[in-house]
Amino acid sequence: MFRGEQATKDGDFREAAFHFERAALGYETLGDPFPAAEATLELGRCLLFSRRGEWLPKLAGRLANLAREEAASLPPGGLVTLLVWASILRKGEAEPLALVQLIRARRRARSVPRTERPH
């Protein structure tokens, strides 16, 4: 995720997309759905900024599948949260502000040390 965020800051969305895709796949393999979902959202942002928004519905489907596959291991409200994220991602090309705001909120949440995060 870090490398993807750095590439994004440098304006290299192709490189960032590569790193976010790798992160998403890695987290999915580890069975860690929320980081996988966040990496998928970041990938969607890169695609949107690269004018490849036609891929967002497919990414949203991937996110919805992840939510359903991991439903048993998610905390209360986790399934709904991931499905809402999938919906925002699916509409990202038509409503980019909602997607960008969601990603900003998730980045802020990730920047808070784990010991200070609310449960």
Side-chain angles (χ1 to χ4, degrees), residues 17-76:
F18 170 78
H19 291 296
F20 288 129
E21 173 65 14
R22 287 187 66 196
L25 289 173
Y27 286 123
E28 284 178 27
T29 301
L30 293 173
D32 208 347
F34 277 104
E38 289 180 343
T40 302
L41 289 172
E42 292 277 5
L43 174 58
R45 180 179 178 269
C46 291
L47 292 172
L48 181 65
F49 287 175
S50 298
R51 300 186 190 273
R52 302 297 309 217
E54 70 273 10
W55 288 95
L56 298 184
K58 289 183 181 189
L59 282 180
R62 177 176 162 186
L63 196 55
N65 286 339
L66 175 67
R68 289 183 190 100
E69 289 171 2
E70 298 292 335
S73 68
L74 294 172

